[in-house]
Amino acid sequence: MDACKMQYAVLSGTYVLKLVGDVRVPTCTALESFVDQRIKEDEGLRAVLIDLTTTEAIDSTALGLLARIAVILKQRGLGRPVLLCINPDIERILLSMGFDKVFRMLRTSSALSSSLEELPIIGDISEDAVTQQVIDAHRTLMSLNESNTEAFRSLVDALESEKRCRD
């Protein structure tokens, strides 16, 4: 699998986010920072398009961060973000998580490939920060539906317990 690469563009208040390769926890810090500092804080935000057409694999932490984007748009009354996906395995995961209820999912290739900038990779991050990132991402997934709550409850409880023991 290819290493993860994250790219973005902002066009008239519409954010385009492209995730390439194997998207997993170690690279999610950059994605979390982008969501919290750019998308969440941008008063001119109008829409978000997420391109997963070249994503080979994606873990639940990354999915939780994508779900956070849907939550932000819903809170602002902006409608559902658009998610492009052509990989049947990833589409199956997205559907099992209930993404079809909070995203407009399209099975099509992206038309935008130029003028995308690299999301800056964030270096050293503490174990506590990564643990909190994983907890927050999974809590967002749990908020989508009861099935996700059941699927991730024990993981979140275990991580929270482990974090309390370290504190």
Side-chain angles (χ1 to χ4, degrees):
M1 283 196 196
D2 291 335
C4 178
K5 183 166 63 169
M6 296 183 218
Q7 302 171 310
Y8 76 98
V10 183
L11 310 163
S12 302
T14 297
Y15 281 75
V16 177
L17 180 62
K18 183 177 181 110
L19 305 182
V20 179
D22 188 16
V23 185
R24 304 226 178 251
V25 170
T27 56
C28 283
T29 303
L31 180 57
E32 180 180 45
S33 177
F34 183 77
V35 170
D36 289 344
Q37 295 174 8
R38 296 288 305 266
I39 292 176
K40 187 176 180 181
E41 298 299 322
D42 188 344
E43 295 299 322
L45 176 68
R46 297 177 100 91
V48 177
L49 181 141
I50 300 166
D51 182 348
L52 300 181
T53 58
T54 55
T55 303
E56 296 173 11
I58 188 165
D59 72 9
S60 55
T61 300
L63 291 173
L65 292 168
L66 296 182
R68 186 180 302 168
I69 294 170
V71 169
I72 291 167
L73 266 64
K74 182 177 181 181
Q75 289 171 341
R76 292 194 186 177
L78 295 174
R80 298 184 295 176
V82 174
L83 199 144
L84 306 179
C85 180
I86 57 174
N87 181 322
D89 294 330
I90 293 176
E91 182 181 24
R92 198 169 15 264
I93 292 167
L94 297 170
L95 292 172
S96 75
M97 296 284 157
F99 272 46
D100 56 321
K101 306 291 188 247
V102 295
F103 286 90
R104 286 188 53 227
M105 292 178 52
L106 302 176
R107 191 177 254 239
T108 184
S109 295
S110 174
L112 183 69
S113 59
S114 61
S115 65
L116 294 173
E117 296 179 41
E118 293 287 321
L119 225 61
I121 300 300
I122 297 175
D124 297 326
I125 181 168
S126 72
E127 184 178 343
D128 280 346
V130 171
T131 300
Q132 190 59 53
Q133 176 185 74
V134 173
I135 290 169
D136 293 345
H138 285 83
R139 284 203 172 280
T140 302
L141 286 174
M142 290 168 64
S143 74
L144 297 182
N145 59 51
E146 189 62 36
S147 175
N148 288 354
T149 300
E150 292 174 24
F152 296 117
R153 167 66 57 211
S154 60
L155 171 66
V156 169
D157 288 347
L159 289 172
E160 288 176 334
S161 176
E162 178 184 312
K163 191 168 184 252
R164 280 192 301 274
C165 288
R166 283 195 311 255
D167 290 344

